[in-house]
Amino acid sequence: MRDAYLVGAAQTDFGSFPDESYRSLFRTAFEAARDSVPADMDSEDVDEAVVGTLGVGGRQLGLSGPAATEHVGLHGIPTTRVENACAASGYAVRQAVQAVRSGMADVVLAGGVEIMTDTSGDATKYWLGVSGETEWERLSGTTFAGVYAQMADAHMAEYGTTSEQLSHVAVKNHRNGAKNPHAQLGFECSLEDAENAQTVADPLTLYHCCPTTDGAAVALIASEEVVAEYTDDPIRVAGVGAASDAVGLFQRDSYTGIEASQRAAETAYERAGITPDDLDFAEVHDCFSIAEILAYEDLGFCDPGEGGELAESGKTGLDGELPVNTSGGLKSKGHPIGATGAGQVAEAFKQLSGDAGNRQVEGAKRGLTHNVGGSGGAAVVHVFEREAGTASDSRAAKPREQEREVDA
């Protein structure tokens, strides 16, 4: 099976954009991703596209993938829409990698888009709720925040995790997000701000919860046969893992860990031939502060029950041993459901290309992205690693459109 490479990735600003549509946001992300490719890439180079979106508000639920890709000029290519709640575009990236590795395509676009801020608060709660179990969670009145509050309560009861440790996650991510020009909540907050904020679902305060967001993100995946046409400094998709679990929290054996994340991480590490100690940074799914603490444990950054202490220690800070959510994470950067996973990949691309500005992890060679759907019904993990200089002797290869003319 051939290797797949990340050759470009970008996102729009995340936030509230009443003058934008899902099509216009997707165009902005696509054009920025194409421009991020070191060598020229034309739209004609893209063989296939996979687009993640939930369709918040009910807009273009059918054929939303082709509606986005045709708008940006990707005419005639196969386009698939992926819906896996908040993990939609993380799974889109996985699908793109599969298409490249299988030999069905040489360049695949994987992206996502969501508009979330033009509906009422009640409507937004409904659309967030559909990512939970319908009969016994959403229709009985349980909110998305309420489900994660139950997970936080259970973790506190079992391991002694504290509200202050949850707040340390928020403080760190806001500190990082303040350095990210794309972040929706690009400002710092103090521990006191997070602790004293309004309660959303006890024990979660406002600063423990991510915002609802508009945005789009796109990643471009290329095969080993053509990667040299686009970059001298390739970023290999070293490992991919994905898993699913019961959608309802009440259907699972434990509230203090997400088994889908654990299984996805184990597979990604095995395929990459690494352990968590080999990572230089990670982008994890922190829709709520407790979710980042669970991710520390599920991804093997620490033992079960030690996530709160890890958050408090500073080791996951920008200058720590393993920086986590250098982008600001969902908490500060924002969470446009369908675009979140691809947005994490865009941050990984910046870090591994050395283009992350004043949030750059010095010497970053290997990073991980972790994207969760709902409260853990689905999860996908990618490991990316930089292979500096491996393509430097073959940059003069013909552009793909010339090759096609010759073959014709």
Side-chain angles (χ1 to χ4, degrees), residues 12 107 134 142 158 178 187 198 228 309 336 349 371 399 403:
T12 64
V107 177
T134 300
T142 302
E158 185 167 346
F187 53 83
Q198 180 180 354
E309 295 175 8
F349 180 75
N371 193 197
E403 289 178 351

Side-chain angles (χ1 to χ4, degrees), residues 12-18 25 114-118 184 212-216 335-336:
T12 64
D13 291 344
F14 284 1
S16 176
F17 306 111
L25 285 171
E114 211 75 71
I115 298 282
M116 299 181 68
T117 65
D118 65 347
Q184 179 176 7
T212 54
T213 312
D214 305 335
H335 182 27

Side-chain angles (χ1 to χ4, degrees), residues 26 30 34 42-49 51 66 68-79 109 220:
F26 191 82
F30 168 67
R34 189 178 57 190
D42 294 328
S43 297
E44 291 77 13
D45 291 353
V46 179
D47 299 317
E48 189 170 335
V51 179
T69 56
E70 284 291 320
H71 179 71
V72 304
L74 299 178
H75 301 307
I77 65 171
T79 298
L109 177 154
L220 296 163

